[in-house]
Amino acid sequence: MDKVILAFSGGLDTTVCVKLLEENNNLEVVTVCVDVGQPKEELEKAEKVAKQLNVKKHYTIDAKEEFANDYIAKGIKANAVYEGYPLSTAIARPLIAMKTIEIAEKENAVAIAHGCTGKGNDQFRFEAVIRSMSNFDIIAPIRELNLTRTEEIDYAKKHKIPLSSDKLYSIDENIWGRSIEGHILEDPANEPPEEIYKWTTAPVDANEKVEKVIIEFEKGVPIAINEKKMPLLDLIGVANEIAGKNSVGRIDTIENRMVGLKSREIYEVPGAILLISAHQALEELVLTKDELLFAEFMSTKYADLVYTALWHEPLREDMDQAIDYMQRRVSGKVVMKLFKGSVIPVSRKSKYSLHDIDQISFEDKENDQNEMEGMIKHHGLQASIYQKLNK
Ligand code: ARG
């Protein structure tokens, strides 16, 4: 029997997909769950559900380190934030797709399947990668059959498919962030209930004392937190914990999806907000005005490419080269002050600092203030000519 590789989470969509692929497409299903830092219980649940579904082979692939070093590190250097959302789900998808392709090649499969619906961004992200990086056919059972959630549940019941999930919300989680949507959150008029948050303490219950965190960067990448050097993967975990207990990184936004829909999205991204804010604070110290302006422009474009499923667009790689070159001076230490949801830089130091303390000082006598006269006189020359003409 021909094989299909299914990117599998054990949730409703992908669980239903297993049976649909077997019954409608007459394929043997191999399930793949890529570990990018979702909770252990979820990985175990995926394994368990795969077993219950009598899937012959199930893979759990640990891709956490690769995710941190080859994806999140780039996201930090680029300050990859889309409409206020530090890209967590979006930046993990290309890696998940790549790992699924690897298994499809190993298993000699004829196709790759995913459980995305026709409403979101993830269908674009999986398929763009599979199309540009392989020749596998793609099957999207839920979208192809235009199934609603209720129809999926009915199908599951009819086929005695075990449904472990009693979750109300649709949640996606990896080491870089947690995104929560659906149920009562669909209506932007409803305030998110406290129960949806897992990584962040509510501001009223957060630390009563200010907490300071020292982040050290080398070439734009965090290498130490509170003076302790550690691999990025571990550092992100520590950052999530410290920022989370100070209520940093709760985002409630109306997002513009690729399909044109506006959607209400909630994110918990404590570590991402802490590390990207610190990174930007350091950039302000070491990059020139023009570099900062251009970095901001690249950042917006970069985030847009990642969000819109264009990780393999050459411009993303071109920008990585330019960003890496710029980041060679983004080394140093930043102290961030956290308190009940706020996060601000209070100290920055770098051997590449362009800030000249002697020249900026009010006590400076060396630079003669009179020298400015000529420069001032001609500043705004065109505006001055225009205003006089106007009179
Ligand atoms: N809106 C975000 C994105 O497109 C996150 C989607 C995550 N999915 C979920 N079921 N919460 O990147």
Side-chain angles (χ1 to χ4, degrees):
M1 204 189 271
D2 284 341
K3 273 188 211 161
V4 60
I5 309 299
L6 172 65
F8 187 72
S9 71
L12 175 66
D13 294 324
T14 54
T15 299
V16 167
C17 277
V18 172
K19 267 276 158 324
L20 287 171
L21 290 163
E22 286 171 357
E23 304 238 314
N24 298 5
N25 304 74
N26 205 20
L27 292 166
E28 181 189 326
V29 181
V30 173
T31 46
V32 180
C33 185
V34 181
D35 178 5
V36 282
Q38 54 274 60
K40 265 215 163 59
E41 312 86 70
E42 261 186 49
L43 300 171
E44 287 164 6
K45 186 186 99 183
E47 238 168 76
K48 198 179 104 195
V49 176
K51 221 176 243 153
Q52 286 173 333
L53 290 164
N54 288 320
V55 163
K56 276 215 198 104
K57 216 172 198 179
H58 174 81
Y59 287 88
T60 306
I61 313 262
D62 183 353
K64 292 194 289 290
E65 249 167 71
E66 198 175 338
F67 183 38
N69 298 332
D70 298 348
Y71 293 77
I72 297 174
K74 290 188 171 80
I76 296 172
K77 286 186 272 187
N79 302 316
V81 177
Y82 174 84
E83 296 181 349
Y85 148 47
L87 296 162
S88 49
T89 298
I91 202 164
R93 295 311 191 198
L95 174 60
I96 296 172
M98 289 303 287
K99 292 289 160 199
T100 309
I101 293 173
E102 276 174 31
I103 300 295
E105 280 162 355
K106 190 174 145 195
E107 288 284 337
N108 243 319
V110 295
I112 294 176
H114 63 75
C116 301
T117 68
K119 301 226 176 213
N121 299 315
D122 288 331
Q123 49 180 335
F124 292 90
R125 296 178 185 143
F126 281 118
E127 295 196 20
V129 175
I130 297 165
R131 285 211 178 80
S132 47
M133 307 308 280
S134 81
N135 291 315
F136 288 107
D137 279 340
I138 299 170
I139 313 176
I142 306 292
R143 186 183 66 207
E144 284 162 23
L145 296 165
N146 192 25
L147 293 179
T148 65
R149 231 178 142 71
T150 311
E151 286 169 343
E152 286 181 48
I153 292 169
D154 288 346
Y155 178 88
K157 281 185 185 150
K158 217 160 75 208
H159 289 76
K160 305 217 164 48
I161 297 172
L163 287 184
S164 56
S165 161
D166 44 9
K167 263 197 246 144
L168 298 167
Y169 303 98
S170 168
I171 297 169
D172 180 70
E173 191 170 326
N174 64 47
I175 49 170
W176 200 224
R178 194 167 168 266
S179 94
I180 313 119
E181 33 178 77
H183 188 47
I184 58 165
L185 301 173
E186 278 179 359
D187 184 347
N190 292 334
E191 184 177 341
E194 196 50 43
E195 67 181 29
I196 65 166
Y197 297 108
K198 220 179 82 189
W199 290 14
T200 53
T201 311
V204 282
D205 300 324
N207 268 353
E208 285 303 327
K209 277 209 273 174
V210 160
E211 181 161 3
K212 287 185 192 163
V213 192
I214 310 165
I215 319 271
E216 181 175 356
F217 290 87
E218 199 175 288
K219 297 186 177 152
V221 178
I223 54 156
I225 188 159
N226 288 335
E227 309 290 9
K228 250 183 139 172
K229 289 216 156 88
M230 60 184 87
L232 184 58
L233 176 60
D234 300 340
L235 193 148
I236 290 168
V238 176
N240 274 328
E241 207 185 295
I242 297 176
K245 68 175 200 267
N246 285 287
S247 198
V248 165
R250 286 187 176 190
I251 295 170
D252 179 347
T253 185
I254 305 292
E255 185 172 295
N256 291 292
R257 281 195 193 159
M258 291 177 68
V259 292
L261 292 166
K262 278 194 185 289
S263 83
R264 199 278 189 85
E265 308 267 339
I266 311 285
Y267 297 104
E268 280 194 285
V269 274
I273 292 289
L274 171 63
L275 296 175
I276 290 180
S277 308
H279 177 252
Q280 286 172 320
L282 187 57
E283 284 189 327
E284 286 171 9
L285 186 69
V286 300
L287 300 182
T288 65
K289 174 184 169 176
D290 286 311
E291 284 180 310
L292 283 167
L293 260 176
F294 201 72
E296 198 180 322
F297 171 70
M298 281 201 287
S299 169
T300 308
K301 186 67 203 166
Y302 198 97
D304 203 66
L305 288 179
V306 176
Y307 185 84
T308 60
L310 296 174
W311 181 261
H312 290 102
E313 153 68 46
L315 178 60
R316 197 268 307 159
E317 295 174 8
D318 301 339
M319 281 197 289
D320 274 333
Q321 297 281 325
I323 290 167
D324 272 345
Y325 195 68
M326 252 190 198
Q327 296 291 310
R328 74 200 189 283
R329 288 185 283 123
V330 186
S331 300
K333 284 185 193 174
V334 182
V335 180
M336 301 297 285
K337 195 161 101 175
L338 315 182
F339 184 65
K340 290 192 181 281
S342 88
V343 53
I344 49 167
V346 289
S347 161
R348 350 178 178 199
K349 269 189 202 153
S350 169
K351 61 178 175 192
Y352 300 109
S353 170
L354 299 180
H355 176 277
D356 186 328
I357 195 151
D358 294 329
Q359 290 205 52
I360 193 75
S361 170
F362 291 120
E363 299 305 325
D364 171 41
K365 194 91 181 131
E366 211 145 289
N367 295 291
D368 188 346
Q369 296 179 45
N370 284 301
E371 283 171 12
M372 290 311 294
E373 223 174 277
M375 185 176 174
I376 302 288
K377 208 163 126 192
H378 296 284
H379 185 67
L381 185 59
Q382 297 187 352
S384 151
I385 294 170
Y386 163 82
Q387 292 296 352
K388 281 179 189 135
L389 259 184
N390 239 6
K391 268 198 199 141

